[in-house]
């Protein structure tokens, strides 16, 4: 993270959440994936950086939020099922050559704000920031465990699809610009503010290995994970797809 002042669906205007691991980083604001203490952000042209990903912006379906969603760029359960079925199934790749430093984050977003602080502002209610854009107070509810948080330092920014998981499922072959876009994506449901404990419990694990303890979040989690992997053309394993199907099936008819 650019700053180490670390800082989910009840009391806020929007709420939540985003940190990936596959890396084992720990500390306020990231833990096993999101932002790492001492990391330096690199200026960016925008949230998604240069457009080297499959789509330049969400499709029409992405732009229609489902009631209760707290993440951007979400699709309906029906669309998520279609996209999940279309994902390429493969075996997990290796971690050979992986480094979190190959996924530039957090990127600058203007007005002294980086991606981390932007997500904290977006996902919280009554968020106050200082002159350096750091969140000094607010109310957040962590999507993964339903915990209410009032101190930004107790929040991590989670990467829905962890950076290491991205690497194992296709990002190893990307260029630096696309990895930066993936790590700082504010358009799709890739980043969210969650309790540090839930983020670090998740680490870099895929849905078949880890699921949010708050089952009421499974519908959003399954659709969000599928949306991100579909947009970036990442692969899934058979076990991962089966668990995502179970999660999406928890969505109300």
């Amino acid at each position: 993270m650019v700053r180490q002042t670390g800082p989910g669906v009840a009391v806020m205007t929007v709420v939540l959440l985003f940190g990936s691991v596959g890396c084992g980083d720990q500390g306020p604001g990231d833990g096993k994936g999101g932002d790492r203490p001492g990391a330096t952000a690199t200026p960016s042209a925008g949230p998604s950086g240069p457009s080297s990903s499959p789509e330049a912006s969400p499709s029409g379906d992405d732009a229609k939020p489902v009631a209760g969603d707290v993440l951007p760029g979400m699709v309906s359960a029906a669309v998520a099922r279609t996209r999940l079925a279309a994902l390429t199934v493969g075996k997990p790749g290796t971690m050979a050559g992986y480094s979190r430093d190959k996924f530039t984050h957090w990127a600058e977003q203007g007005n002294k704000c980086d991606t981390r602080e932007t997500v904290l502002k977006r996902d919280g209610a009554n968020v106050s920031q200082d002159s350096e854009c750091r969140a000094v107070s607010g109310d957040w509810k962590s999507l993964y465990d339903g915990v209410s948080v009032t101190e930004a330092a107790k929040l991590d920014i989670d990467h829905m699809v962890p950076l290491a998981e991205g690497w194992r499922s296709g990002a190893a072959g990307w260029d630096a610009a696309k990895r930066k876009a993936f790590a700082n994506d504010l358009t799709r449901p890739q980043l969210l503010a969650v309790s540090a404990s839930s983020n670090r419990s998740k680490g870099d694990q895929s849905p078949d290995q880890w699921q949010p303890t708050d089952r009421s979040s499974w519908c959003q989690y399954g659709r969000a994970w599928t949306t991100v992997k579909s947009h970036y053309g990442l692969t899934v394993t058979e076990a991962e797809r089966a668990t995502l199907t179970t999660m999406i099936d928890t969505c109300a008819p």
Side-chain angles (χ1 to χ4, degrees):
M1 76 174 139
V2 175
R3 307 180 187 73
Q4 184 182 357
T5 99
V9 173
V11 77
M12 318 94 59
T13 309
V14 264
V15 212
L16 313 286
L17 336 5
F18 309 92
S20 65
V21 148
C23 12
D25 294 334
Q26 295 190 17
D30 181 22
K32 298 182 176 180
D35 49 4
R36 175 182 54 191
T40 301
T42 299
S44 168
S48 298
S51 180
S52 55
S53 52
E55 303 169 24
S57 62
S59 68
D61 286 315
D62 292 46
K64 300 175 183 177
V66 176
D69 283 350
V70 297
L71 301 175
M74 294 284 276
V75 299
S76 68
V79 172
R81 291 188 182 94
T82 298
R83 294 188 181 183
L84 180 58
L87 291 178
T88 298
V89 176
K91 296 181 179 180
T94 71
M95 292 296 288
Y98 172 77
S99 170
R100 286 180 60 76
D101 293 337
K102 293 183 178 181
F103 294 80
T104 303
H105 66 294
W106 302 115
E108 294 294 339
Q109 301 296 341
N111 299 319
K112 297 184 179 181
C113 299
D114 61 24
T115 304
R116 172 186 169 80
E117 298 300 337
T118 300
V119 174
L120 286 174
K121 177 71 172 179
R122 183 198 72 193
D123 290 354
N126 307 313
V127 178
S128 295
Q129 297 172 299
D130 63 18
S131 60
E132 296 300 313
C133 194
R134 292 173 295 211
V136 295
S137 65
D139 299 290
W140 295 267
K141 187 171 182 179
S142 174
L143 183 67
Y144 297 163
D145 50 13
V147 172
S148 294
V149 181
T150 57
E151 298 178 49
K154 295 182 179 181
L155 293 164
D156 283 357
I157 305 303
D158 177 49
H159 287 94
M160 173 58 66
V161 176
L163 303 183
E165 167 59 23
W167 180 271
R168 295 190 294 263
S169 57
W174 295 351
D175 60 19
K178 188 170 181 179
R179 289 180 192 146
K180 180 178 180 179
F182 178 73
N184 296 275
D185 194 339
L186 294 169
T187 304
R188 280 150 288 276
Q190 168 65 340
L191 298 172
L192 63 165
V194 295
S195 66
S197 60
S198 66
N199 179 49
R200 298 172 195 188
S201 172
K202 173 184 175 180
D204 68 344
Q205 301 176 91
S206 56
D208 54 301
Q209 301 168 319
W210 183 91
Q211 305 88 39
T213 56
D214 186 349
R215 292 177 65 94
S216 67
S217 71
W218 284 19
C219 172
Q220 290 193 64
Y221 195 90
R223 289 183 290 125
W225 184 285
T226 299
T227 297
V228 173
K229 281 217 161 180
S230 175
H231 175 79
Y232 286 97
L234 297 171
T235 62
V236 293
T237 64
E238 288 285 7
E240 179 184 351
R241 185 164 69 174
T243 302
L244 287 169
T245 297
T246 297
M247 288 183 153
I248 296 172
D249 284 347
T250 67
C251 297

